[in-house]
Amino acid sequence: MAQNQASVAPMGKGKKSKVVRYNRWGYIFLIPFIAVFLVFNLIPLISTFYNSFFENYMAQLNHVGPNFVGFQNYKTLFADGKIWQYAGNTAIMWVMGFIPQIIVSLLLAQWFSDTRLKLKGSTFFKTVIYMPNLIMASAFSLLFFALFSDGGPINDLLMKMHILDEPFKFFSSKWATRSLVAAMNFLMWFGNTTILLMAGIMGIDVSLYEAAEVDGANSWQRFTRITLPLLKPILIYVMITSLIGGIQMFDVPQILTNGTGNPTDSTMTLIMYLNKHLYSKNYGMGGAISVVLFLLTGALSLLVYNIMYRKKDKEA
Amino acid sequence: MSEPIGEIKKSTSTHARRVIAYIVLIILSILCLFWFYILLIYSTRSNGEIQKGITFIPSTHFVENFKNLVNSSQPVFQGLRNSLIIACSSALLSTYFSTLTAYAIHVYDFKLKKFIFTFILMIMMVPTQVTVLGFIQLMTKMNLINNFIPLIVPTIAAPVTFYYLKQYMESALPLALIEAARIDGSGEIRTFNTIALPLMKPAIAVQAIFTFVSSWNNYFIPTFILKKEKMKTIPIIIAQLRSSDYLKFDMGQVYMMITLSIFPVIIVYLILSKHIVSGIAMGSVKG
């Protein structure tokens, strides 16, 4: 026994050092990722934080700063109230797109994964509903602006169908413009959400449904009592990732309103506000907005991380 | 007696649900396709025809609009070329190095492995917009304004692509295979290039498409990096068109330009859609 152990020990040692020699490559292969992350993400993040504590902008042709001003930029940001208004706009347009998105996606995911329905052509439908997700948002917005313009095809169609007597000015109406932004977000994302939720539903044990059926549950009961509760983690994941995406809302309202957020600032989003400051080279205020958005999205990301991975770690 | 009635009832309710499902799906499909159909129709119409009002029948000016656009002052084809260069390079670099990163975490055992993996998962969701200010300043200092590098190289550190490939690797790349390659005397870099990469092809293809598309569509950051007219990508040119009073332009050309920026992606998607649609769900939520 003792002899055995003695003979094993050196071999184990030899193997271990060989493994360590190989494992060194783990670090080497991580170099590109880490180097790129440091240069293009971490340093910019730190300098964005740093910028937020300085007064640094262009007044006409004079460059003011950079002067250290502490938290003054943050005070200015929250004092003039615009950020609340823009956060409100972003939230409203996100909710207007997200509510129909989650309802439609749940419905479609349930149908696609229901073997009893035996839907034909489901591959075709999935292909079609996912397609808008790949469209260039700026080109899609330019298209919508052209189609919904005062003398554009949609107005013409609505008048020919006698729904309207005269052109409706979509881009002069606050709620029409917001609705268009929300509708485009809905179109671009409901296919993606459907496919994610479908993967979740497919993961639910079929025997649960069979048992429920034996007990006489109808399809609505099976949906509300089995599918929804078991889908909860994925629903929360979809909601938070969509919220993070919503905070980043930019291309669609920017191109649709030509960066003005018109009518009367009602479609100006947080990133459009940031874009405005960056464009006018007000780096102090731009930095402060960036930091606020970073903290907001960072907190939400942690939430996603906790829901999706922490639990799995514990189980493992 | 009650059982057959129950069966019939059940089958009629299933039948009714199926009909409703088809109706909803058809309406949603029309809602998705309508815009692209109109776009395609309008790109075949001359400006004069477009002013006359809506139609759903294609006209005959497709080639003419294309030719007019080639000869116009809009640098559309330069933009398409720039976008293509950036998107292709990004897709190539991003997938190669993301596979390498996933390989490092999957194959090797080292002290910081768990920490790095957790860290990458945590930064996965943080949007690039929040660091763009520091990014622009750094690129200005590094003299990389009007250069494609700031739009290509950062895609090497792509946490989402990494995570997807890591998930795929767990089922597609058995460690025994790497062990066997080592015994045959293959170096670590060679093992990665000749054994791991080919096995990862399906997942790499899916991620290459996603990286290509997001780079092709990217608008926010390139506006701050590409200032020179001949460096601009297609989304920037579209934004410029929007800020000019373009509804007074030749609308045939405008629709043609939107068509050219949207349809290459749609065509690639339709060819590969089977892999893409089944690929989306795989990496993201299987937790």
Side-chain angles (χ1 to χ4, degrees):
Chain A
M1 193 67 185
Q3 211 185 6
N4 231 345
Q5 246 173 7
S7 70
V8 163
M11 232 180 89
K13 221 177 190 177
K15 201 183 170 195
K16 201 185 165 197
S17 70
K18 206 176 166 192
V19 165
V20 169
R21 194 151 52 85
Y22 280 131
N23 288 340
R24 184 170 54 102
W25 284 93
Y27 289 111
I28 296 171
F29 284 176
L30 281 175
I31 291 171
F33 184 98
I34 292 171
V36 167
F37 176 77
L38 287 181
V39 174
F40 292 99
N41 293 88
L42 196 62
I43 295 174
L45 179 65
I46 294 166
S47 91
T48 302
F49 269 79
Y50 182 80
N51 265 284
S52 71
F53 298 111
F54 286 81
E55 175 185 59
N56 183 359
Y57 60 92
M58 301 292 285
Q60 261 76 47
L61 286 173
N62 301 317
H63 188 213
V64 179
N67 306 314
F68 183 77
V69 290
F71 284 94
Q72 190 54 50
N73 287 326
Y74 293 92
K75 277 183 201 146
T76 316
L77 183 64
F78 287 108
D80 84 349
K82 274 193 169 152
I83 192 163
W84 298 116
Q85 190 194 339
Y86 300 152
N89 291 340
T90 314
I92 287 169
M93 289 189 285
W94 175 72
V95 169
M96 283 168 75
F98 184 74
I99 289 176
Q101 181 189 321
I102 199 79
I103 293 171
V104 168
S105 298
L106 261 174
L107 204 60
L108 295 191
Q110 174 75 6
W111 284 339
F112 281 137
S113 51
D114 191 337
T115 46
R116 189 196 308 274
L117 274 184
K118 291 192 203 78
L119 287 180
K120 285 198 185 95
S122 69
T123 315
F124 166 79
F125 287 123
K126 279 182 228 164
T127 308
V128 168
I129 62 171
Y130 186 73
M131 197 172 77
N133 191 258
L134 299 173
I135 299 310
M136 187 186 293
S138 44
F140 200 31
S141 311
L142 187 69
L143 177 64
F144 260 60
F145 180 72
L147 295 181
F148 285 88
S149 59
D150 300 348
I154 299 295
N155 264 318
D156 194 48
L157 183 67
L158 292 175
M159 287 196 301
K160 276 191 181 136
M161 289 165 78
H162 299 289
I163 297 170
L164 290 177
D165 291 328
E166 54 186 53
F168 179 72
K169 291 183 164 45
F170 284 95
F171 297 103
S172 305
S173 152
K174 176 170 151 181
W175 287 102
T177 312
R178 280 177 173 173
S179 303
L180 282 178
V181 173
M184 290 179 67
N185 282 326
F186 165 76
L187 274 179
M188 290 172 79
W189 288 101
F190 84 97
N192 187 290
T193 308
T194 301
I195 290 166
L196 291 185
L197 292 180
M198 218 178 66
I201 292 177
M202 297 288 206
I204 295 173
D205 193 348
V206 185
S207 64
L208 287 175
Y209 291 106
E210 283 162 1
E213 211 172 314
V214 171
D215 291 345
N218 62 31
S219 62
W220 175 247
Q221 283 166 330
R222 290 200 300 270
F223 178 68
T224 51
R225 303 281 168 82
I226 302 174
T227 312
L228 273 187
L230 287 173
L231 215 53
K232 206 172 137 200
I234 293 177
L235 280 173
I236 295 172
Y237 169 88
V238 165
M239 199 183 121
I240 300 170
T241 48
S242 163
L243 182 59
I244 294 173
I247 293 169
Q248 298 174 61
M249 199 190 295
F250 175 71
D251 292 20
V252 170
Q254 173 80 12
I255 302 286
L256 209 56
T257 69
N258 193 19
T260 59
N262 278 343
T264 59
D265 260 4
S266 61
T267 55
M268 179 74 92
T269 65
L270 290 167
I271 299 287
M272 283 167 79
Y273 190 37
L274 170 64
N275 181 63
K276 240 179 160 176
H277 281 303
L278 291 179
Y279 209 76
S280 63
K281 293 201 157 67
N282 189 339
Y283 288 148
M285 287 300 284
I289 299 170
S290 300
V291 170
V292 170
L293 292 178
F294 172 77
L295 295 177
L296 196 60
T297 48
L300 290 169
S301 300
L302 275 180
L303 213 58
V304 173
Y305 172 78
N306 272 313
I307 294 163
M308 296 317 295
Y309 310 111
R310 195 49 84 68
K311 222 169 158 192
K312 206 173 137 199
D313 277 1
K314 264 186 204 154
E315 281 162 16
Chain B
M1 194 59 199
S2 72
E3 217 175 272
I5 292 170
E7 275 300 307
I8 292 163
K9 226 176 146 187
K10 212 180 258 169
S11 80
T12 51
S13 91
T14 307
H15 188 72
R17 287 208 306 135
R18 190 180 296 138
V19 171
I20 294 168
Y22 278 128
I23 293 170
V24 172
L25 278 170
I26 289 167
I27 291 172
L28 284 169
S29 300
I30 292 171
L31 206 60
C32 287
L33 294 174
F34 175 75
W35 320 104
F36 306 113
Y37 182 71
I38 292 262
L39 173 61
L40 216 50
I41 296 298
Y42 271 60
S43 63
T44 66
R45 305 178 79 197
S46 70
N47 195 37
E49 285 171 338
I50 290 170
Q51 304 308 333
K52 275 187 208 146
I54 194 164
T55 177
F56 295 104
I57 305 144
S59 183
T60 53
H61 299 271
F62 191 80
V63 178
E64 186 189 316
N65 283 335
F66 186 83
K67 277 185 186 154
N68 286 339
L69 193 62
V70 174
N71 298 323
S72 79
S73 59
Q74 293 293 329
V76 179
F77 292 90
Q78 188 106 50
L80 287 170
R81 201 197 61 144
N82 293 339
S83 285
L84 199 65
I85 294 171
I86 294 172
C88 285
S89 329
S90 300
L92 227 80
L93 280 185
S94 177
T95 48
Y96 182 82
F97 285 103
S98 298
T99 315
L100 190 70
T101 311
Y103 188 80
I105 299 284
H106 179 63
V107 172
Y108 303 102
D109 246 316
F110 47 95
K111 221 194 232 160
L112 292 175
K113 173 174 160 156
K114 205 168 167 140
F115 168 77
I116 291 173
F117 185 52
T118 310
F119 182 75
I120 297 177
L121 290 186
M122 273 169 26
I123 59 170
M124 196 151 80
M125 296 291 165
V126 176
T128 48
Q129 281 101 323
V130 300
T131 59
V132 72
L133 166 60
F135 186 76
I136 301 164
Q137 285 184 324
L138 186 67
M139 293 309 114
T140 311
K141 269 184 210 147
M142 289 167 80
N143 217 359
L144 287 174
I145 299 295
N146 288 319
N147 194 315
F148 290 160
I149 288 173
L151 302 173
I152 297 169
V153 175
T155 58
I156 286 174
V160 177
T161 312
F162 155 81
Y163 184 64
Y164 182 93
L165 293 168
K166 167 83 172 55
Q167 295 276 89
Y168 188 86
M169 213 172 253
E170 267 161 27
S171 58
L173 188 67
L175 290 174
L177 214 62
I178 292 154
E179 221 35 77
R182 276 176 192 161
I183 290 164
D184 290 345
S186 166
E188 296 301 292
I189 294 172
R190 216 184 103 199
T191 310
F192 172 73
N193 282 329
T194 59
I195 294 175
L197 269 187
L199 279 174
M200 294 292 293
K201 251 186 206 155
I204 290 175
V206 170
Q207 283 309 307
I209 294 159
F210 282 126
T211 312
F212 179 92
V213 169
S214 66
S215 170
W216 178 267
N217 296 345
N218 192 7
Y219 165 57
F220 186 58
I221 293 174
T223 49
F224 293 105
I225 301 292
L226 306 173
K227 305 277 188 192
K228 252 191 218 155
E229 205 61 35
K230 65 171 203 196
M231 303 291 286
K232 284 174 178 165
T233 56
I234 200 76
I236 306 178
I237 292 163
I238 282 183
Q240 278 178 346
L241 190 62
R242 171 66 183 88
S243 58
S244 54
D245 197 8
Y246 84 93
L247 289 175
K248 295 197 180 84
F249 289 3
D250 177 353
M251 286 307 287
Q253 282 185 45
V254 171
Y255 284 109
M256 175 55 77
M257 185 170 149
I258 300 174
T259 303
L260 286 177
S261 52
I262 284 179
F263 275 89
V265 172
I266 292 187
I267 291 165
V268 174
Y269 168 68
L270 290 180
I271 295 169
L272 301 169
S273 63
K274 227 180 179 175
H275 306 280
I276 297 175
V277 170
S278 64
I280 305 154
M282 229 180 64
S284 37
V285 210
K286 264 199 182 162

